[in-house]
Amino acid sequence: MAELKIIGMDEVAVEEIEWLWYPYIPFGKLTIIHGDPGEGKTTLILQLAALLSRGDKLPCDDTEREPISIIYQTAEDGLGDTIKPRLLSGNADCTQIKVIDESEVPLTMLDARVERAIQETGARMIILDPMQAYLGEKVDMNRANEVRSILSQLGRIAEKYKCAIILVGHLNKMQGTKANYRGLGSVDFQATARSVLVVGRVKDSPETRVMAHQKSSLAPEGEPIAFELNKETGFHWIGHYDISIDDLLSGFSRQKKSEMAESLITDCLAEGKCPQQVIQQKAESMGISKRILDTVKKSLDVQSIKIGSKWYWQLAA
């Protein structure tokens, strides 16, 4: 029987979170990046690895950083014909990116080689792509007790070495459902990870892909960031993009949301002025962001007027 030990919170030292990429990827924690097959999540993580290998700035982040050592494991793509060409296309410093040899014995999350590799390489980031391939053949990814035990131990390794561990995964096929219910396997995957990111394709602009925050336990959710995958011009970053996760996965486009916002405003103002709070509450219930609502308001030449202590919207005369 384990010996009882009591820890007083007055004895616990306050620790500041370190970030690989604020607020998307923390050091010393587990991060999940998932999306439907073919939406660009592996390309995204390889482009990030390329930037980090050179110590370059990350998208929408002016933080100065040093090059870091990275471990990248894949169970789906060939190293020579797929992974390295993608890294080279991002101008990666391949001396900074290592792979644990799985040619004789497949790797699992709890394999002792994971911790030894982090020790020997000094890796600050390790990527397991896809995560379900590294659970182990006897593990049922739908059983919470099995999944939580493995992820908790992997999380302790991340914390011990201040290493960001990235788990790349697929979404299930439940189209049209909330993003929270589209992760494969037990919900403990998302419960254990401190940051969960979703990568999807913008439906009315199929070459545009977006990474959006589904869960952020350690900081406010980051704004969605878009990138382009073009057969002719390749990969390039676009920057912040206004779209919600549920819209990204359900098929609503930014253009569609703008049309919804326009209809909402014109309906509310059809008979004259309308309280601003009423319009904003209706927009929120429809999943229309404040940015889209304000943009459409301006395009319709809607004026804000104050009557007493309340603000109203009305169409310009």
Side-chain angles (χ1 to χ4, degrees), residues 36 172-179 182 246 249-252:
D36 288 323
N172 63 43
K173 297 180 181 180
M174 297 171 62
Q175 298 289 341
T177 58
K178 290 282 187 179
R182 291 216 45 209
D246 290 323
L249 297 180
S250 67
F252 282 113

Side-chain angles (χ1 to χ4, degrees), residues 32-61:
I32 290 176
I33 299 178
H34 57 186
D36 288 323
E39 299 292 69
K41 55 189 179 296
T42 295
T43 299
L44 167 71
I45 198 64
L46 290 174
Q47 288 289 328
L48 290 174
L51 292 172
L52 290 163
S53 73
R54 302 194 310 269
D56 288 352
K57 293 180 179 179
L58 295 179
C60 306
D61 183 351

Side-chain angles (χ1 to χ4, degrees), residues 211-222:
M211 179 198 78
H213 231 150
Q214 179 180 336
K215 171 188 173 180
S216 181
S217 299
L218 304 174
E221 290 183 1

Side-chain angles (χ1 to χ4, degrees), residues 40-94:
K41 55 189 179 296
T42 295
T43 299
L44 167 71
I45 198 64
L46 290 174
Q47 288 289 328
L48 290 174
L51 292 172
L52 290 163
S53 73
R54 302 194 310 269
D56 288 352
K57 293 180 179 179
L58 295 179
C60 306
D61 183 351
D62 291 329
T63 303
E64 298 289 341
R65 50 175 49 85
E66 295 294 323
I68 64 170
S69 179
I70 298 163
I71 296 172
Y72 179 80
Q73 298 300 129
T74 178
E76 291 188 337
D77 297 306
L79 297 178
D81 59 16
T82 303
I83 301 304
K84 187 164 184 179
R86 289 187 184 182
L87 288 171
L88 293 176
S89 72
N91 297 316
D93 178 355
C94 290

Side-chain angles (χ1 to χ4, degrees), residues 30-34 109 128 130-136 139-152 154 167-170 180 182-197 214-215 217:
L30 302 183
T31 295
I32 290 176
I33 299 178
H34 57 186
M109 291 182 184
L128 301 178
M131 60 186 182
Q132 49 266 41
Y134 292 96
L135 286 171
V139 175
D140 184 344
M141 66 185 298
N142 294 298
R143 294 180 66 88
N145 61 327
E146 296 183 24
V147 169
R148 183 168 286 273
S149 175
I150 291 173
L151 295 183
S152 294
L154 191 63
L167 307 177
V168 181
H170 300 312
N180 289 342
R182 291 216 45 209
L184 277 180
S186 167
V187 293
D188 283 71
F189 280 107
Q190 296 179 62
T192 306
R194 299 297 82 197
S195 178
V196 180
L197 303 163
Q214 179 180 336
K215 171 188 173 180
S217 299

Side-chain angles (χ1 to χ4, degrees), residues 205-267:
S205 180
E207 293 178 345
T208 302
R209 318 297 170 88
V210 175
M211 179 198 78
H213 231 150
Q214 179 180 336
K215 171 188 173 180
S216 181
S217 299
L218 304 174
E221 290 183 1
E223 290 188 60
I225 293 179
F227 58 96
E228 183 179 271
L229 280 180
N230 187 297
K231 290 182 179 179
E232 295 182 1
T233 59
F235 179 101
H236 80 264
W237 297 102
I238 296 174
H240 287 141
Y241 198 90
D242 188 17
I243 191 170
S244 72
I245 281 188
D246 290 323
D247 290 346
L248 185 64
L249 297 180
S250 67
F252 282 113
S253 66
R254 182 162 52 173
Q255 179 62 34
K256 178 67 175 177
K257 286 292 184 179
S258 296
E259 293 171 2
M260 292 167 63
E262 183 173 340
S263 295
L264 170 65
I265 293 173
T266 53
D267 288 347

